[in-house]
Amino acid sequence: MNRLLAILLTIVICTVPFGMAVSADEVSSVTDGQMEITESEYSENEETVVDEETSEENATEDNLAEQETEIPLVEYNEYIESKPQNTGDGEIVVDAGTSVNNEGFTTTFTVETEGLYTIGMSYKATDNKTSDLTVGLKIDGEYPFSEASRFVFPRFWTDKEKSREDERGNTYAPEQVIYDNYYFAEAFDISGWSSSVYNVYLTAGEHECTVNAQNGEFELEKIVFGVPESAQDYSGAEGDEYDGEPIVYEAEDAFLKTSNALAGKGDLFSSSVTPNNPMLSMINYIGSSNWKEAGETIYWKINVPKTAVYTLGFSYRQSEIINGNCYRHLKIDGKTPFAEAEKVTFSYDDSWQYNLWSDKEGTPYKVLLTEGEHTLSLTVTPGDMTNVISLLNGTVAELGNLYRDITMITGESVDTYRDYGLFNQIPDMEDKLNTMLEDLKSANKMFEEIAGHSSGSYTSVINGMIRVIEKMLAKKYSAHRYVSSYYSSYSSLSASLAEMRNMPLDLDKIILYSPTEDKLLKKDGFFGSTWFSVIRFISSFVTDYNMIGSGDSAKEKLTVWVGWGRDQAQIFDTMLKTSFTPSKNIAVELKVVNATVVQALLSGDGPDCILQHSRTEPVNLAMRGALYDLTQFEDCNEVLERFAEGADVPYRYKGGLYALPDTQSFYMMFYRTDVFEEFGFSVPKTWEEFEEVAMLLIKNNLSVSVPYTQITDMTMVNSGVGSLSLFPTFAMQNGLSLYTEDGKSTNLSDPQVISSFKKFTDFYTKLRIPTTMSFFNRFRSGTAPLGIDSYLLYTTIEAGAPEIDGRWSMAQIPATVREDGSLSATSSAGGTGCAILNISKNKKAAWELLKWWTSAETQLAYSNNVESVLGPTGRISVSNTEALFNMSWEGDIAEQIKAAREEIEEVPEYPGSYYLSRALDHSFWNVVNSNKQPKDMLTTWGKEADEEIARKWAQYEK
Amino acid sequence: MKNKDILKANQSVQNMYRRENRVCWLLLIPFMSLFFLFTLLPVFSSVVLSFFEYDMISFPSFTGIGNYLRMFTGDKVFLTVLGNTLAFAVVTGPLGFIISFLLAWFINEFNPIARSILSFLFYAPALVGNAYFIWTVAFSGDSMGYVNNFLISFGFITEPIVWFKDVRYNMTIIMIVQLWMSMGVSFLSNIAGLQNVNKELYEAGAIDGVRTRWHELWYITLPGMKNILLFGAVMQIQSVFSIGAIVSQMAGYPSINNSVDTIVNLISDVGTMRYEMGYAATLSVFLFLMMAVFRVLVGNLLNMLGSDD
C-alpha cells in the first residue's frame, strides 16, 4: 500500500509541477491519516499510561520531598562567577595527620584574609586500589560547588627499583608501587578541556572543613588552602649563566607519576633514544599513550650542580597529533616559573626530536636554578586547545540536538521526494545553523593559528561539517536530502572531539644547557641510525625476544595461549614479567595463538593454560577430558568468592569446575536524561514502563535499542546464549530456566518459556525495533535515547561522546513483575574463562597464574593498560567483583552497577548447548521476518536442539 | 602412445628413455611427496575415518557404516544442505562457466592492451580473495546499507530488509555474489585458450562455408579449445561444490533455517564445532564422490561440442 501510494504521489508531483502545493497537501493529509490510525491503535494503552502517571506523580512528589533536604549544588563555573575575584593572602595549613575513609574527617581552621584559595592536600594512599582517589571537601558542612564532592586526587606511583636487568643485560620496566610518603597535590579540573585548579572562596574567620574519601582510603597529613598562583609573563632570568657541558636527565628515571601505567618503555628501533644498544632491549623513554589525559603528571628529581641560569631542552617524540601540538604544564618545585610554562609546546614529527624550550620566535627561555635538588614536573594540559575544545564541545552538542529535532520530523529514513519544510517546522533552524557555522569556522581559524598550517586531521573533519551546513542553508527546501551526510559528518566530528583531548607524548631526556651553548645534543644522523638498524636486524636472528626479562633462573616454566591481538598480548607480557614472574618465580611464555586447543591436544603439544577462552569451550573440552578439574585445588572455593555469585555456573560439568571466569559482562539500560526530561518520562523500572516509553519515543520518530546479536559466523555461538539476546534474561526474570534440571534437554516447549519468547520478539514485531542498529551513534545523537546494552558501553560513551556529558545515565535493566508481585531484574551475562589443561605438567604453577590473573589488581591493571592503548573500547569486562567496583564509576552509577551485579544469573552450559543458541536464532528470524508463530518455531527448533543435546550426552555417558 | 611406438622400434633408445625416466621420477619426488602427504593421504585417511567415531581427543572407535546411515537417515540438516549445494552448483556452475567464456570471447576481440586491462579488471575480484565483503556492506541489514537506503529513498520499501536473515532473499544474493566471483582461473584460461586456437582453421573454415561468428564459434573455436574448457569445467565444479566461506561470511552459520548452508559449511561445523571428525569425513567423502560424478557428466557434455547433433 505504502509503496503504491509513494509511486502514485511521485507521478503526481512529476506530472503536475505547478500543482506542487496541492500534492504537498495530499502528502500531509495522507500522513495525518496514518497518524490517526496509529494513535487510535495505542489509545487503549495511553489510558493506562494516564492512570499510572498519576500514581507516579505521587511517587515522584515523595521523592522530591526527600531530595529537598539536600540543597542543589551550583557548578564550579557559576560558583566562581558569583564570588569576588580577590585572592587570599598567606597559605593556610590545616594539620590533620589522620586516616580518611568515606566517613570523613572534620577539623576547624581560621582564615585571616577573605578571598579565593586553592585546595591542596598532602596525603598518601593506604589501600591497594589503583584508581585515583575521589575526595569530597565540605566547608562548613556543605560542598561549596558540585565538583567539590568528587575532587580527583591521583595516587603517586614510583619505581620499585631502578630499571631491572636480566642476565643478558636487557632492561625491563620496573614494577610500579605506591609512593610510601606524603605528597602534595592540588584539586584540579580533569574534565579535559579546561586546565585550571579549583579555587574556593573563604571568608575571614573560623571555618569547619570535612574531607571524605568517596573512593579509596588515604592518610592525610595536612590540608593546604593556598594562594592562587598567577604566574608572571616571561621576563628573562638574571644571574650567572651556566657554561658547562649539558646535563642530561633520563626521563624514564622518573621520581613520581600519577598512574601506575606510567612505567618506562623501550624503543628498540632508534639510535637517538638513550640508553640504547642494538643487541639488547632497553627501557629508554616514558609516556606515550599512557600519558595523554589532562592532569596526568610525571615528576623528576633533578640535581643541579651549581646556581646559575640554564636553558631547558627535551628529547621527545610527538608523532600522534598530526600537524598539531602537544602541551605540558611545567612546574619546578611545585611552582610555575612563568606564564609560558603553563603550556610548553611539543610539535609534531614522526621521529625523535631534540628541541630547546623556546618561544615562537625560537628564543630559548632561561630559567634560574639554585644548586641542589629540585623537583621538575610535567602535567598534561590541553594548552592552546582549551578554547577550541570548549567551543566545539558546545557546537557538537547543538549539532546533535538539531539532528534529533530533524529526525523527529523526518524519521530515520528520509524520503527524498517529500517536502518536509524543515526550516518551517523547526522555528530557529536557520539561526541555529548559522551560529554553528560561525562557531565551526572560528574553530578552524583557531586550529590554523595553533598549528601554523591549515591542513590537519581535525580541520578536514570540521570542513566536512561546514560544507554540509552550507548546502543545507543554500537549498532550504531540499535540506532534508543532506540529513544523512549531516549525520555522518556530525559523527566523525564528535569522534574527533573525543580524540582532541588526548595529548600523548614520548619523553626520552630532559637536558639542562648552558644558555651560551650553541652545540645542542642531536639525534643520530642518517648513517648512524642506518648502522643501528643493520645491527638490530642481524641481532634479531640470535635474540629470543620471548625470553627477554623472563629470567633463566625461574624455577618453573609455563606456556600460556591467548587469542588476543598483538597489543593486548604485549601488555600482558609486560605485566607477567614485571609482576608475576618476579613474585612467584615462575617464567611464562606467552603465545598468541589463533587455533583451537583441540588441534594442539591432537598433536600432544599444548599449552599449560588458556586465558579468555570463549564461553562454551570449557565444558566442550571438559566432557572430552581435556581440562583439569579446578575443584581439586584446596583454595578453589576461596578463589571463587572473587567473582559474582554463580559466575562459575557455565564452567561446571558434572560437579567439576573447569574454568575460572575472567571476563563477565551483563546488560544495563542507557538513557538520555535530557530527552527524558523533555518528554517528561521517568526511568522505566519494569518492562511495561519500558514499553510505554519505547512506544511514545517511536511515535515521535525516535527509536529504542534492544540488542540482538546476529549469529554471523560459526564461532559466535561460542559466546554463550546469555550474551546473544535478551531472551534468556526475560526467561530468567520469570523464574524459568532454558534447560531441564539435568541438562539433558531444553525447556523451549514449556508454555511459559514460549510466552516470554513471545514477549521478547514483540519488541521487534510489534514495536518494530530494528534488529541491527549502531546504538552508540544513535544514542549520541539522541535519536535512540533509550536502549539496553552491555555495561561496557558506559566507558565508550563516556570517552567517545564528550558532548553529551551529564545528559545521559545508566541504570539497571527493567524488571519483570512476577505473579507474586515481586520484581526481578535478573540479567543474563556473557564472558570468557581461563582454564588449565590436563596435559600440563605444572598444574600448581598454572593455578598460581590463574589466581594471579583473576586477582583484582591484575584484572584492573590489565584493563587500564589495554584501555590506555586501545582507547575505551579496550576496557575489559572484569569478572573480579573488587576490580569492577574499583573502576571509576560516578556515585550513582556505582550503586546501579552493584545492584545489577547482584542480580546476574548465568545460563549453564551442557554438551551440545551450542544448538540452543542456534535454535533460538532460527526461531527468532522466522518469527521476525516470516511472521511465524513463536510457539511453532520454538517447538520445532527446540526438538532439533534436544536431539543434538541427547546425542552429545549419549556420546560421553558411555 | 608415441613413446611406446618408439620403444618397440628401438631397444637402445628404450634404455636411454629409461635412464631419462629415472631423472623424471627424481624431479617429481619433491612434488609427489608433498602431494602424497597433503593431498592423497588426507583423502585416504578421510575415507578410513568415515567409518569411525573420532572427537580429536579420545581414541577413534569403529562404527561401521553408522556415519553413512546417519547422513542419509538421521540428519535433517544434511538433506537441506545437500539441496542447497546442488542448487548453487546447478545455477552458478554452468552460468558462471558460460559467462566467463562469453566474456573471454568478447574481450579477445580487443587489441592486446585493452585486452590485458579488461581481463585484469574481471579477474580482480577473484584475485583479491575476500573481496565479497563489499557485498555485505551493500546488503547490510541497517537502513544505512546501500541497497536498503536506495530502496527506501525511492519508496520501494519503508523498513530496512535484513537481507541475509530472510529466506526470500539470501539464496539469490549469494548466487549473484558467487557469479561475480566466478571470473577466476577458468576465465583466464579461456582467454589463453582462445588465443591458442589455430588461426589457419578460421581461414579454412571461411573457405569451407562458415558464414557467421556463431558458426565459427561452434565449429572451430569451441572444439579447438576443448581441453581448456574441460580444465575450466573441472575448476568450476570444484569451486561451486566447495562454496562455503562466502555463505558463512555473508549469511552466517547456521543461516536462517539452514536455507543457504552448503555441505562444506556443514563439514566445518561438524568437524570444528562439534568435534565429530568421523562424521565430517563421511560428509566429505560424499562431497568428493558427488564432484567426481559431475566431472564425468560434464566431460561427456563437452565432448559433444562441435558435433552437428
Side-chain angles (χ1 to χ4, degrees), chain A residues 443-515:
Chain A
N444 246 356
K445 225 172 258 159
M446 282 153 122
F447 269 122
E448 238 174 279
E449 273 163 30
I450 293 166
H453 23 169
S454 55
S455 71
S457 41
Y458 297 141
T459 39
S460 68
V461 174
I462 296 177
N463 279 329
M465 191 76 240
I466 289 178
R467 271 196 295 276
V468 174
I469 296 180
E470 276 172 348
K471 272 187 205 155
M472 287 178 108
L473 283 170
K475 299 180 181 171
K476 292 205 181 70
Y477 293 103
S478 50
H480 56 276
R481 294 188 184 196
Y482 303 103
V483 168
S484 69
S485 45
Y486 177 96
Y487 177 65
S488 58
S489 310
Y490 153 73
S491 300
S492 46
L493 183 60
S494 168
S496 36
L497 177 64
E499 266 303 296
M500 268 173 221
R501 314 161 159 209
N502 294 335
M503 297 274 161
L505 176 72
D506 303 340
L507 195 61
D508 166 40
K509 288 188 274 286
I510 300 167
I511 309 156
L512 290 185
Y513 289 107
S514 149

Side-chain angles (χ1 to χ4, degrees), chain A residues 132 216 262 332 338 428 451 575 613 617 629 701 743 765 777 781:
Chain A
D132 289 338
L262 274 173
I332 295 170
F338 40 84
D428 46 354
M575 288 174 61
H613 218 61
E617 284 289 274
D629 180 5
N701 275 333
T765 51
N777 278 331
S781 64

Side-chain angles (χ1 to χ4, degrees), chain A residues 3 918 926 951-952 956, chain B residues 55 70 156 257 269 276:
Chain A
R3 204 163 93 187
R918 290 186 187 178
N926 272 315
R951 233 166 34 73
K952 282 283 145 179
Y956 293 96
Chain B
D55 67 358
R70 177 180 163 199
F156 290 106
N257 294 355
D269 175 38
E276 293 173 32

Side-chain angles (χ1 to χ4, degrees), chain A residues 554-556 558 576 578-588 642 844-845 847-853 855 857-858:
Chain A
K555 272 201 314 239
E556 289 168 287
L558 285 176
L576 282 169
T578 52
S579 155
F580 181 69
T581 305
S583 61
K584 296 284 192 303
N585 205 17
I586 301 166
V588 179
R642 296 172 174 178
K844 278 248 162 67
W847 177 241
E848 285 301 319
L849 180 76
L850 292 200
K851 284 200 286 188
W852 173 79
W853 163 238
S855 69
E857 302 89 68
T858 315

Side-chain angles (χ1 to χ4, degrees), chain A residues 591-842:
Chain A
K591 287 186 175 165
V592 178
V593 180
N594 220 349
T596 51
V597 191
V598 179
Q599 273 101 327
L601 292 169
L602 194 60
S603 68
D605 180 28
D608 296 283
C609 310
I610 41 177
L611 303 183
Q612 286 202 357
H613 218 61
S614 50
R615 172 53 60 93
T616 55
E617 284 289 274
V619 166
N620 250 337
L621 291 169
M623 69 189 191
R624 294 173 171 91
L627 295 184
Y628 187 71
D629 180 5
L630 301 179
T631 51
Q632 294 175 50
F633 294 110
E634 276 174 13
D635 50 349
C636 178
N637 284 335
E638 247 169 75
V639 173
L640 280 179
E641 278 167 23
R642 296 172 174 178
F643 311 110
E645 210 188 312
D648 54 321
V649 165
Y651 308 114
R652 284 193 180 272
Y653 174 67
K654 289 189 178 168
L657 176 71
Y658 292 91
L660 291 179
D662 56 7
T663 63
Q664 194 186 32
S665 64
F666 47 89
Y667 289 116
M668 293 294 278
M669 183 174 69
F670 297 82
Y671 59 99
R672 285 285 297 262
T673 44
D674 52 347
V675 180
F676 270 52
E677 256 166 45
E678 202 179 307
F679 283 95
F681 298 148
S682 57
V683 184
K685 289 262 181 325
T686 64
W687 287 109
E688 281 71 32
E689 289 172 19
F690 182 85
E691 249 167 74
E692 276 160 27
V693 172
M695 217 137 65
L696 291 170
L697 287 174
I698 289 164
K699 239 173 156 180
N700 283 294
N701 275 333
L702 299 176
S703 74
V704 172
S705 163
V706 178
Y708 188 84
T709 313
Q710 294 195 28
I711 297 189
T712 48
D713 73 278
M714 226 168 267
T715 50
M716 196 76 98
V717 283
N718 279 351
S719 53
V721 70
S723 60
L724 290 177
S725 72
L726 273 182
F727 167 60
T729 302
F730 266 102
M732 290 188 297
Q733 287 194 352
N734 283 306
L736 305 166
S737 145
L738 298 183
Y739 293 99
T740 53
E741 207 139 291
D742 56 0
K744 301 252 161 106
S745 72
T746 63
N747 224 356
L748 295 189
S749 46
D750 184 296
Q752 272 180 296
V753 173
I754 292 172
S755 78
S756 40
F757 187 71
K758 188 172 175 308
K759 205 171 141 193
F760 164 64
T761 47
D762 277 354
F763 279 122
Y764 305 94
T765 51
K766 287 203 178 141
L767 286 180
R768 313 293 310 164
I769 289 174
T771 47
T772 33
M773 70 150 87
S774 157
F775 179 48
F776 169 65
N777 278 331
R778 297 208 185 168
F779 187 72
R780 179 162 71 182
S781 64
T783 49
L786 173 68
I788 288 164
D789 214 301
S790 158
Y791 81 93
L792 280 180
L793 187 70
Y794 179 84
T795 345
T796 316
I797 300 176
E798 196 181 41
E803 78 273 14
I804 56 167
D805 255 1
R807 297 198 282 138
W808 62 280
S809 189
M810 177 171 88
Q812 230 183 318
I813 56 167
T816 299
V817 190
R818 289 192 181 174
E819 272 168 22
D820 56 358
S822 64
L823 286 181
S824 163
T826 302
S827 163
S828 64
T832 56
C834 50
I836 300 174
L837 270 75
N838 240 341
I839 51 164
S840 165
K841 294 188 185 73
N842 256 331

